[in-house]
Amino acid sequence: MLDMELYKKVIEELSPTLLYLILYFQGEPYLHPHFFELVHFASERKIYTATSTNAHYLDDENARKTVESGLDRLVISIDGTTQDTYESYRIGGKLEKVIEGTKRVIEWKKKLKSKTPHILFQFLVVKPNEHQIDDVRKLAKELGVDELGLKTAQIYDYKNGNPLIPSIDKFSRYAKNPDGTYRIKSDLDNGCWKMWHSAVMTQSGEVVPCCFDKDAKHGMGSVVEDSFSAVWNGKKYQGFRQALLKSRKSIDICTNCTEGVKIWG
């Protein structure tokens, strides 16, 4: 779990310039015992806060605390409108918990007369659930969420086809080649705005280039040992940026990246 003191140190350093803080990376944020304190600490410093959840931990107390924390944006993953379809992608998940958790946050927003968090229903479109797109639109309207997002899915083993690749082209990040193999729709041009505008910090304090470095293989430095500024302006980060400008296709985490691809339908 991310250490609170380390987190506060980094936020204090970045608060004069940090605009948007995303509080999740390869995990369920509500499992952090001090999650609401993390949100509140940033919110007090006028930093826009967002998180994404499977909504399985949104009991009544957590729903209330979510609204009270000052969280600006809450992404709730709902990848199916029936239990069978939902759990085919969210293994072991319970659709009922997602719906009930969503209702609780909406109810507490009303009780506390709060405009936040903005609730986004995120429907990750894959072949097993693409037939439920109209159903999730109807469900989102019935529940009263603020927004529904139909998002394309990143698929790891896509080159020889994959049962998760949607048949609806607009919801696929991948295009079929004449020989039957698949390629990512992005041209992978040399350049990426994220290298100069954002970064990801893991729970151990390691800074990595972006969220596509899911296994933190490209560590740029640690905020445990240095300031964020020292890492951001360090030789390792500068070298990575130059390598990306020279040949983005040669960097492993960039080869399945959405930069340059429409990801919301």
Side-chain angles (χ1 to χ4, degrees):
M1 296 289 182
L2 178 62
D3 178 72
M4 278 299 303
E5 293 309 310
L6 177 62
Y7 169 81
K8 289 179 179 180
K9 172 195 140 182
V10 175
I11 294 301
E12 290 285 19
E13 179 189 351
L14 296 178
S15 60
T17 55
L18 183 60
L19 300 176
Y20 198 119
L21 180 64
I22 300 174
L23 289 159
Y24 64 94
F25 178 57
Q26 303 303 306
E28 171 53 51
Y30 280 82
L31 289 176
H32 196 293
H34 304 294
F35 173 69
F36 300 110
E37 188 178 347
L38 296 172
V39 176
H40 186 66
F41 189 82
S43 183
E44 279 188 320
R45 286 150 183 79
K46 309 301 180 185
I47 299 168
Y48 188 96
T49 54
T51 198
S52 179
T53 179
N54 60 29
H56 281 51
Y57 299 90
L58 287 174
D59 56 21
D60 193 62
E61 181 181 8
N62 282 344
R64 174 180 56 79
K65 287 182 177 180
T66 295
V67 178
E68 293 176 337
S69 69
L71 183 71
D72 292 291
R73 183 178 179 87
L74 178 65
V75 179
I76 295 177
S77 296
I78 178 160
D79 304 315
T81 58
T82 59
Q83 177 59 29
D84 287 348
T85 302
Y86 176 79
E87 68 179 343
S88 69
Y89 186 78
R90 298 282 172 181
I91 308 299
K94 300 295 182 184
L95 178 61
E96 182 181 7
K97 287 188 175 182
V98 180
I99 294 173
E100 291 305 312
T102 302
K103 287 179 178 179
R104 290 185 187 108
V105 177
I106 292 172
E107 287 171 2
W108 275 109
K109 280 180 66 177
K110 292 176 180 176
K111 288 179 182 177
L112 298 174
K113 296 182 171 61
S114 176
K115 293 182 179 180
T116 56
H118 178 89
I119 301 173
L120 169 67
F121 245 15
Q122 179 180 281
F123 189 83
L124 205 60
V125 181
V126 288
K127 194 167 186 178
N129 70 13
E130 63 183 6
H131 65 288
Q132 294 183 338
I133 289 175
D134 288 341
D135 293 334
V136 78
R137 286 194 176 108
K138 181 180 178 182
L139 179 60
K141 187 175 181 179
E142 288 175 351
L143 293 177
V145 298
D146 298 299
E147 183 183 355
L148 170 66
L150 302 174
K151 189 178 182 181
T152 61
Q154 181 189 25
I155 295 168
Y156 295 115
D157 300 317
Y158 65 85
K159 291 183 179 179
N160 294 311
N162 188 296
L164 291 175
I165 297 177
S167 62
I168 306 172
D169 183 66
K170 68 177 289 188
F171 293 117
S172 177
R173 298 183 186 184
Y174 309 94
K176 197 170 186 179
N177 297 314
D179 64 359
T181 61
Y182 286 79
R183 58 177 174 81
I184 192 166
K185 289 178 178 178
S186 171
D187 293 328
L188 294 179
D189 295 331
N190 296 332
C192 179
W193 66 272
K194 288 185 177 181
M195 294 305 101
W196 287 267
H197 291 82
S198 66
V200 171
M201 188 182 84
T202 69
Q203 64 177 7
S204 65
E206 187 75 15
V207 178
V208 298
C210 75
C211 62
F212 281 90
D213 190 5
K214 300 183 188 302
D215 297 318
K217 294 191 295 182
H218 297 275
M220 298 292 109
S222 172
V223 293
V224 175
E225 302 166 359
D226 293 303
S227 67
F228 182 88
S229 178
V231 174
W232 180 256
N233 295 300
K235 290 183 179 180
K236 201 166 186 180
Y237 226 134
Q238 299 289 17
F240 187 88
R241 293 183 181 107
Q242 290 303 313
L244 186 145
L245 289 172
K246 184 178 180 181
S247 178
R248 185 173 163 214
K249 292 179 181 178
S250 67
I251 301 174
D252 58 344
I253 62 172
C254 299
T255 58
N256 196 9
C257 173
T258 57
E259 183 62 25
V261 177
K262 184 179 180 182
I263 64 171
W264 295 98

